[in-house]
Amino acid sequence: MTSHFNLRRCRQLYEKELKPALLGRQPMLQLDDRNEFYARLLAEQSLLQPGKHLVDLGAGLSIFGPLCRAHGMNVTLVDDFGGGGGVELRPASGDVPLLDVFEKRLGLAIVRENFLERPLPLPDASVDVVTSFHSLEHWHHSPKPLFREIVRVLKPGGFLILATPNAVNLRKRIYVLLGRSNFPTLHEWYHDGDPVFRGHVREPVIRDLHQLLKWNGLEVVATHGRNFIGRQSQVLSGLPAPLVNGIAISSGWFLRLFPALCSDIHVVGRKPL
């Protein structure tokens, strides 16, 4: 079952309800085409509507949760908010002021915890959709207990939507042939990972995401490739911005026909009724 996605309404909700609440806050969250696409994924499964309960794992500071809340969804963000995902903590401080806006002004529920180590504080069969966007690749330990929790809290017929970088996108395939690594940079691991590395531990491929769903009894209902990360490629950074934008748009439309070559991979799973 699918429903029409109203892009115009998304943008109106951002301008009228979210942007005024976020002005003057850092980081200033913009509605971009990536988050519009995430909203479209929900709409395609008739989820972007009042009363539906969404849980976003590894949410960070994203406009996605507030956008879903503006559509009338009940939204729970689960993250340790320890850095990354737009979260830059002050020294010796766990304060994230933007979360106060999310919770007190926009009405989102915030759960601060490491969801890989603790059960989700939610009742059985209480959630319509669980999302995890660009979080899985940061998980240091096996997510087997977490996936059991996801299946537990999902309603029969509920959805799990995963988005990650693609370990074998077109650029990385070429890089490996040229002797480059498709892992995070050595500098990021060696320098930025001291004392705690919060970068990419294991980037999956589409088949990996399908297997994770199947291992947990979820049906794969959709697979999409997009090139959101590819638009920020450092390989193109020395070219004029209009040219980079043109290359990104034209290649993006072509590559989405071949999800396994895209920089971003998305898989939608459904729990059996």
Side-chain angles (χ1 to χ4, degrees), residues 57-238:
L57 300 177
L61 299 180
S62 167
I63 197 62
F64 173 71
L67 181 65
C68 293
R69 180 63 185 143
H71 279 84
M73 300 185 74
N74 299 318
V75 177
T76 302
L77 307 184
V78 187
D79 200 326
D80 66 1
F81 299 101
V87 182
E88 298 297 337
L89 296 180
R90 299 169 185 170
S93 170
D95 292 339
V96 185
L98 196 55
L99 289 182
D100 290 335
V101 179
F102 283 8
E103 189 171 23
K104 297 175 182 177
R105 186 163 177 181
L106 299 179
L108 285 75
I110 308 295
V111 177
R112 288 177 177 248
E113 74 170 32
N114 185 331
F115 48 81
L116 285 172
E117 297 180 356
R118 298 181 184 177
L120 297 175
L122 298 161
D124 295 356
S126 61
V127 176
D128 295 286
V129 55
V130 174
T131 55
S132 183
F133 298 137
H134 291 271
S135 176
L136 183 149
E137 66 272 13
H138 297 268
W139 299 348
H140 282 250
H141 306 297
S142 167
K144 183 186 289 187
L146 172 61
F147 275 92
R148 286 198 295 263
E149 282 293 286
I150 292 171
V151 173
R152 178 184 67 81
V153 302
L154 278 177
K155 297 176 181 178
F159 291 85
L160 170 62
I161 304 177
L162 299 173
T164 72
N166 180 7
V168 292
N169 67 43
L170 180 59
R171 177 188 63 78
K172 291 174 183 174
R173 295 181 191 216
I174 296 172
Y175 266 30
V176 169
L177 288 175
L178 296 176
R180 301 278 294 273
S181 174
N182 64 334
F183 287 100
T185 66
L186 185 65
H187 184 283
E188 180 185 1
W189 173 72
Y190 187 80
H191 293 289
D192 300 338
D194 180 22
V196 179
F197 178 64
R198 296 183 68 92
H200 294 188
V201 178
R202 186 187 190 282
E203 293 181 358
V205 298
I206 288 176
R207 186 176 298 178
D208 293 336
L209 297 184
H210 287 181
Q211 185 65 69
L212 286 171
L213 296 183
K214 292 175 182 177
W215 276 340
N216 290 279
L218 301 174
E219 173 193 5
V220 177
V221 297
T223 302
H224 303 277
R226 290 295 186 273
N227 237 35
F228 302 123
I229 300 175
R231 297 183 187 184
Q232 304 165 4
S233 173
Q234 294 182 355
V235 175
L236 304 177
S237 61

